[in-house]
Amino acid sequence: MENERIIVLDFGGQYKQLIARRVRECNVYCEIQPHTISLEKLRDMHPKGIILTGGPNSVYEASSPSCDKELFSLGIPILGICYGSQLMAYKLGGEVKTAPVSEYGHTRTLVDDPASLLFCDVKKDSTTWMSHTDYIARVPEGFHVTAHTAECPVAAMEDPVRRLYATQFHPEVAHTEEGTKILRHFVMDVCGCHGTWQMASFAETTIRELREKIGSDRVLLGLSGGVDSTVTAVLLSRAIGRQLYCVFVDHGLLRKNEGDEVEAVFGPNGKFGNLNFIRVNAGDEYFAMLKGVTEPEKKRKLIGEKFVEIFGEEARRLAGTGGFRYMAQGTIYPDVVESGGFGSGSAVIKSHHNVGGLPHDLVVELGFDENPIEPLRTLFKDEVRKVGLELGIPRELVYRQPFPGPGLGIRVVGEVTPEKVRIVQEADAIYREELTKAGIDMGKGQFFAALSNMRSVGVMGDFRTYDYAVVLRGVLTSDFMTAEAAEIPWSVLQTCMNRIINEVKGVNRVMYDLTSKPPGTIELE
């Protein structure tokens, strides 16, 4: 049972990471592999089941991602989702066509076979999430239809003898009413998994693997003090101890007092003071570089490039004391996905300076292995937190509010200046302080203040003001891929507004952002 795993084959679908997450919620290990993986390698992994993801292509086009028909004869249970369902039908002799009517979003779906292992205790009439222009016009021999919609005659199909199942809708997304139950039925009832995998297993396995891989070599980590880099640092510390060196680049774009707080935790007198901790104060360099820059993606890239420059200088200096074999990063799944760094057809939503490592010439110069160590690369934020708790990291650190690598550089809309950063630092500190007083659980999402580039007329006392508008953001999310605005009590928002306007010089308006993700991103930029 310890080796139970489900493999997700990626055909370019945007929800592939959510599929893996849902399977792990069943306490079954799951990993994503490219659709190009060989059947031999797939067999050697001994998966209990395989899930085929959605994707943006049409299965009948020659350039579309495909798979060997033999995949469906391995005797391994397979679930095809959206494009994966159409690929299953197409490869096994069914017919896939352009749908007369495309379906997008919430769709009423009716179960035709309540005896199906997938639908045995699922409501006969429920809402699912559809996103397709093609549809299965005719099921392959041996299959029968198990669900339909008003516009899609094959919303689900199966061949229970060969343990092949397919859904045109996306059971992995929260919008599918019975989706979690359907996926659980596939993992537990069809694949026969027992659900014994835990985050503790991940931590133990990862520490052992890191120790075996690294041996006696030294590792260099860029430490931000956020959840991801903290957990990465502790995993590596448990694996290799003083062979780990952590460089903290303080770019002056951190939250109020955060630089000192990071040093207090990881410095010589901190809880994790056994690390080799180096702090580099570089705020002046960053502000000079960002002068006049307003476009958010350019700011991200410049901040990332400057980090690489400063980190590289420190790496060169430290390399002179004995050299390093590896660089480590706190990369997690959403970073990889949003950077277009995994699988086929992934779109770049935003760049992340912690994805991809150092420039190749610097890697060669310093003698780093070309593949950085990224022990959290396959985890979601909530899973990272679970690992952190398993490692004994204090809860207040594990549930620290997420903070982007570029910091307040992207929470200040428009040009970044020391004065604007001061404003947003003060406003953000007040906001989070009041949320804590009100007993609002910030661990279920992300809550922060941002500074708009809008200035407007106001009145304070007997004087006319022309100051900035602060935007408060609060979202609820478990995976940071989708998010909804948090319903913060009006009285709490009023208190935040009053304090920010009264206590933070340069602000005369406070607004609350209600935008969900999608269509927006979590950050204001």
Side-chain angles (χ1 to χ4, degrees):
M1 289 190 288
E2 293 182 0
N3 295 321
E4 288 182 343
R5 77 171 75 191
I6 300 291
I7 299 296
V8 174
L9 291 187
D10 174 25
F11 290 90
Q14 61 178 315
Y15 297 133
K16 53 184 170 282
Q17 70 285 349
L18 289 182
I19 299 172
R21 184 176 180 277
R22 299 298 181 225
V23 173
R24 291 182 187 180
E25 287 175 350
C26 298
N27 293 327
V28 175
Y29 179 69
C30 183
E31 62 185 79
I32 299 175
Q33 293 292 337
H35 72 274
T36 52
I37 187 173
S38 69
L39 291 182
E40 181 181 6
K41 185 173 182 181
L42 198 56
R43 283 193 197 96
D44 290 344
M45 298 175 80
H46 303 293
K48 296 282 286 186
I50 297 170
I51 300 177
L52 314 181
T53 75
N57 303 93
S58 294
V59 296
Y60 45 77
E61 294 177 352
S63 59
S64 296
S66 189
C67 65
D68 193 321
K69 180 181 176 181
E70 186 65 23
L71 173 69
F72 302 104
S73 300
L74 294 178
I76 301 170
I78 298 177
L79 171 64
I81 295 175
C82 195
Y83 180 90
S85 71
Q86 296 167 11
L87 184 65
M88 181 184 292
Y90 183 71
K91 285 289 184 178
L92 295 176
E95 189 174 10
V96 178
K97 293 182 177 180
T98 301
V101 178
S102 299
E103 290 180 310
Y104 293 99
H106 297 90
T107 306
R108 182 187 179 195
T109 301
L110 302 174
V111 173
D112 296 307
D113 182 6
S116 164
L117 285 180
L118 288 190
F119 300 111
C120 60
D121 61 350
V122 168
K123 288 190 293 186
K124 181 176 176 59
D125 185 341
S126 66
T127 299
T128 65
W129 185 260
M130 288 283 195
S131 180
H132 68 102
T133 54
D134 290 342
Y135 79 129
I136 299 170
R138 178 172 52 82
V139 301
E141 185 177 349
F143 283 77
H144 68 276
V145 177
T146 53
H148 73 279
T149 72
E151 306 296 344
C152 183
V154 187
M157 67 175 189
E158 66 180 57
D159 179 347
V161 175
R162 288 186 285 176
R163 295 189 295 174
L164 302 177
Y165 296 77
T167 63
Q168 182 61 67
F169 57 85
H170 289 270
E172 71 274 19
V173 302
H175 305 293
T176 295
E177 193 177 351
E178 299 274 72
T180 299
K181 191 181 292 183
I182 292 168
L183 273 178
R184 189 172 189 85
H185 281 320
F186 175 73
V187 172
M188 310 303 257
D189 300 332
V190 176
C191 300
C193 294
H194 294 81
T196 57
W197 183 77
Q198 301 286 345
M199 276 298 140
S201 303
F202 175 87
E204 293 168 7
T205 301
T206 300
I207 290 170
R208 182 175 64 251
E209 291 174 348
L210 287 170
R211 188 176 294 127
E212 292 172 355
K213 177 177 181 178
I214 296 167
S216 60
D217 292 311
R218 299 203 306 177
V219 177
L220 187 63
L221 168 69
L223 180 65
S224 70
V227 177
D228 306 332
S229 67
T230 295
V231 175
T232 299
V234 176
L235 277 171
L236 283 163
S237 177
R238 295 280 174 83
I240 61 172
R242 297 286 293 180
Q243 294 165 232
L244 174 65
Y245 286 71
C246 299
V247 174
F248 169 49
V249 177
D250 184 346
H251 48 30
L253 305 172
L254 299 171
R255 290 168 289 203
K256 185 177 180 180
N257 301 326
E258 192 159 35
D260 293 339
E261 291 171 0
V262 171
E263 184 169 1
V265 172
F266 292 100
N269 300 317
K271 177 177 177 62
F272 301 110
N274 62 321
L275 306 177
N276 296 293
F277 178 81
I278 301 99
R279 179 176 180 177
V280 181
N281 295 310
D284 291 344
E285 292 182 57
Y286 275 88
F287 284 119
M289 174 194 67
L290 292 170
K291 187 174 183 179
V293 180
T294 60
E295 202 277 315
E297 185 63 11
K298 185 175 182 181
K299 285 193 287 186
R300 282 182 176 274
K301 290 185 181 298
L302 286 174
I303 292 169
E305 289 168 0
K306 176 60 72 172
F307 170 82
V308 169
E309 177 188 325
I310 294 172
F311 186 82
E313 290 173 0
E314 196 61 30
R316 289 189 184 94
R317 184 186 70 79
L318 291 171
T321 66
F324 294 91
R325 172 76 184 280
Y326 298 104
M327 183 183 73
Q329 296 178 161
T331 309
I332 65 173
Y333 242 155
D335 298 336
V336 177
V337 173
E338 292 193 337
S339 299
F342 193 98
S344 56
S346 299
V348 177
I349 298 171
K350 61 180 79 168
S351 61
H352 291 262
H353 74 260
N354 61 324
V355 177
L358 296 175
H360 182 70
D361 57 349
L362 186 58
V363 169
V364 173
E365 175 192 339
L366 296 175
F368 282 116
D369 189 285
E370 292 193 10
N371 298 309
I373 289 176
E374 298 170 315
L376 307 179
R377 188 180 178 88
T378 62
L379 300 188
F380 294 92
K381 182 72 73 174
D382 59 320
E383 293 177 323
V384 172
R385 287 180 170 137
K386 289 179 182 177
V387 173
L389 293 175
E390 290 288 348
L391 291 169
I393 300 174
R395 191 175 183 84
E396 61 269 22
L397 288 183
V398 171
Y399 281 93
R400 190 173 195 160
Q401 280 289 285
F403 196 59
L408 300 181
I410 56 168
R411 291 185 180 172
V412 171
V413 178
E415 182 182 14
V416 180
T417 67
E419 175 63 8
K420 289 182 177 180
V421 168
R422 178 197 64 79
I423 290 173
V424 78
Q425 283 177 331
E426 296 293 339
D428 181 73
I430 290 171
Y431 179 43
R432 289 184 288 119
E433 180 183 330
E434 290 301 326
L435 293 180
T436 300
K437 285 181 182 178
I440 293 173
D441 184 2
M442 290 183 281
K444 293 182 178 179
Q446 191 165 352
F447 297 79
F448 60 89
L451 186 66
S452 75
N453 61 355
M454 181 185 81
R455 300 183 74 183
S456 60
V457 173
V459 177
M460 297 185 76
D462 295 325
F463 297 95
R464 175 184 183 276
T465 62
Y466 186 64
D467 288 328
Y468 287 103
V470 162
V471 179
L472 304 181
R473 184 79 161 127
V475 298
L476 300 179
T477 179
S478 59
D479 49 43
F480 287 80
M481 301 306 298
T482 60
E484 298 289 341
E487 295 185 22
I488 297 174
W490 180 254
S491 60
V492 177
L493 291 175
Q494 285 279 63
T495 300
C496 292
M497 177 273 294
N498 283 324
R499 282 197 61 192
I500 290 170
I501 288 178
N502 290 331
E503 298 176 31
V504 184
K505 184 180 178 181
V507 178
N508 66 1
R509 286 183 188 270
V510 176
M511 299 180 286
Y512 187 64
D513 184 359
L514 292 174
T515 314
S516 61
K517 175 186 179 180
T521 62
I522 290 177
E523 299 294 337
L524 188 64
E525 58 173 1

